[in-house]
Amino acid sequence: MGLHGAKASGAGGVVDLLNVDFEAIGPVGSTAAQNLEFSAMAAANTFTDLLPYLTVNNGSIDITAPGALGDVSGDNIVNSTDALIILTYDAGSPIPPAFLARITAGFGNVNSDNFTNSTDALIILTYDAGVQVPFPIGDPMCPPGNLASSLNAVPSSGALLKTEKKIHAFAESGAAPIAPGQTATVPVTIDLTGFPASGSSDEKLGSFTARLEWNPATLQLLNFSGGKTGGFENPVVNDLEAKSGKLTVANANPYGAKGSVNILNLRFKAIGDPGSSAALSLSFSAMAAAYTFTDLLPYLAVSEETLTLTAETQPGDFTLENFPNPFNPSTEVYYQLPRESEVEIAVYNVLGQNVQTLVKERQAAGKYVVRWEGRDEQGQPAPSGIYFLQMRAGQFVAERKLLLLK
């Protein structure tokens, strides 16, 4: 490229002559040099030849692998796994050097405040849940040249494990057939009990991105709440398509949770015709382990729920039962209401202290099922021993003795 110019009055100081935009088309790892030469240069007014006094500094551009803003794992996808890595980094826990290099290069600084922290993780979770965010997540970005070489070897999110064990995920109410107008509570659970294999340390759930779908002509979503397992109580939920029977949820916990992890709880009302079936589909687009960042999707088995609608008559009495008993690690609580009531069901220890409240809301007449996972309000496992299950509904009070074995 050649250029020339002249200005009779001249210009002093630093003079901007030309700005050029280039598109990188060479292979990754190559260097593109820019060589600048002058054949003439003179001063205004005096016409002094300036070439003898000229020093030229040529530049170069290192061509690096493409990257996307928010992709700190280097897998070319921005999802809840990246949020988990950022939260782990922000909590001061160690992360693989390659992930740290991408954070240092700015891939995690999605809000451009020059910090990579929990705010960036929240923005990524919101983006992954399908909610629009005012930041260019996923857009191509160029890391600083002095850091480019450290980004060449980025591992995948964890290595494959040699195990035949499966992780089970399910959205199951455990309810008997329900009549139109009745409600059902559906907990969504990921069970990592015994994973990856006996004799080795169990993996902990660190992050996930899930999608639930149902037929809005048979089921109406009334409300939802976060998981009851500690660290997963506050997911990012996109309910913009709930009236169309779609819900997307994402969450990340840098400390993780093992065993049976409750990630979400949904409450539906049956609005279909008697005899129809209401299917609830659960799928995952991302799931990673805490600390190791192992991709857990290859080991996942998902069970789907189908609620059958019947013309069943309303219960005649209040009842409270549970099964199994004794149990480990969870028990199903079955109860029925002959009329609409304010219901409270809670578990107490032998000292009369509240361990966990399972239900506290006004409910329509009908049959219900709720699960106690053997945990307290903070999501911590309760010790083995005797507990008491108490139900209050208006003037009705019932109590059952529970035995948790470990």
Side-chain angles (χ1 to χ4, degrees):
M1 175 186 293
L3 66 147
H4 58 82
K7 184 178 181 180
S9 59
V14 178
V15 182
D16 187 8
L17 299 179
L18 184 70
N19 294 288
V20 182
D21 293 327
F22 291 99
E23 179 182 356
I25 59 175
V28 172
S30 63
T31 299
Q34 294 89 51
N35 297 316
L36 179 63
E37 297 178 358
F38 288 85
S39 58
M41 183 181 295
N45 301 321
T46 64
F47 309 106
T48 301
D49 181 8
L50 300 180
L51 285 179
Y53 313 101
L54 179 64
T55 300
V56 176
N57 296 317
N58 289 317
S60 63
I61 298 175
D62 295 326
I63 300 178
T64 65
L69 182 64
D71 177 23
V72 296
S73 69
D75 62 358
N76 297 319
I77 302 172
V78 182
N79 57 24
S80 55
T81 302
D82 300 290
L84 171 64
I85 295 169
I86 290 174
L87 286 175
T88 304
Y89 165 80
D90 193 33
S93 298
I95 61 175
F99 295 163
L100 179 60
R102 292 184 71 85
I103 289 177
T104 303
F107 284 95
N109 180 29
V110 297
N111 64 351
S112 301
D113 65 352
N114 296 320
F115 297 97
T116 299
N117 54 28
S118 57
T119 301
D120 300 291
L122 173 61
I123 295 169
I124 289 174
L125 285 175
T126 305
Y127 165 85
D128 193 31
V131 179
Q132 187 173 359
V133 295
F135 304 100
I137 295 179
D139 284 4
M141 66 161 286
C142 249
N146 62 324
L147 297 175
S149 60
S150 65
L151 306 178
N152 291 334
V154 176
S156 60
S157 299
L160 288 175
L161 302 172
K162 295 181 179 179
T163 179
E164 295 182 358
K165 295 284 289 185
K166 286 290 185 181
I167 298 168
H168 297 278
F170 46 88
E172 298 179 350
S173 68
I178 60 174
Q182 292 184 342
T183 62
T185 299
V186 180
V188 182
T189 303
I190 301 173
D191 190 0
L192 294 88
T193 303
F195 182 84
S198 178
S200 60
S201 299
D202 290 354
E203 292 281 8
K204 291 185 176 183
L205 178 66
S207 62
F208 66 88
T209 307
R211 186 172 179 85
L212 295 108
E213 298 186 49
W214 63 92
N215 184 353
T218 56
L219 287 178
Q220 176 188 356
L221 180 64
L222 298 179
N223 52 53
F224 58 84
S225 59
K228 293 183 179 179
T229 301
F232 289 94
E233 305 95 334
N234 300 297
V236 175
V237 180
N238 179 3
D239 61 351
L240 297 178
E241 297 182 279
K243 291 184 178 179
S244 299
K246 298 175 183 178
L247 195 77
T248 303
V249 55
N251 207 346
N253 173 9
Y255 304 107
K258 64 170 55 178
S260 182
V261 184
N262 175 228
I263 60 171
L264 189 70
N265 296 280
L266 308 154
R267 187 163 171 246
F268 291 98
K269 179 179 180 180
I271 58 175
D273 296 326
S276 62
S277 294
L280 180 62
S281 173
L282 173 65
S283 61
F284 290 83
S285 58
M287 185 183 295
Y291 300 108
T292 65
F293 308 106
T294 301
D295 180 7
L296 300 179
L297 285 181
Y299 316 100
L300 182 64
V302 179
S303 301
E304 297 188 354
E305 170 76 320
T306 300
L307 300 174
T308 302
L309 277 59
T310 70
E312 186 177 17
T313 58
Q314 300 290 4
D317 299 298
F318 290 97
T319 62
L320 174 66
E321 302 293 340
N322 79 287
F323 181 84
N325 193 22
F327 64 95
N328 177 26
S330 64
T331 185
E332 304 283 349
V333 178
Y334 301 86
Y335 64 101
Q336 63 182 32
L337 312 173
R339 56 183 175 273
E340 184 175 342
S341 308
E342 290 287 345
V343 182
E344 181 173 354
I345 299 177
V347 178
Y348 296 88
N349 61 22
V350 292
L351 300 178
Q353 300 168 322
N354 181 286
V355 177
Q356 186 174 35
T357 299
L358 305 179
V359 179
K360 190 174 184 180
E361 62 184 7
R362 189 168 188 84
Q363 294 183 329
K367 297 180 179 180
Y368 298 86
V369 180
V370 65
R371 179 186 289 116
W372 183 42
E373 301 284 356
R375 297 177 180 271
D376 60 21
E377 292 287 9
Q378 286 72 46
Q380 299 301 312
S384 58
I386 295 174
Y387 294 87
F388 295 94
L389 175 71
Q390 186 182 86
M391 172 180 170
R392 292 180 178 272
Q395 299 300 314
F396 174 79
V397 179
E399 192 171 86
R400 297 286 181 269
K401 182 185 291 187
L402 308 178
L403 180 57
L404 172 59
L405 300 177
K406 293 188 176 180

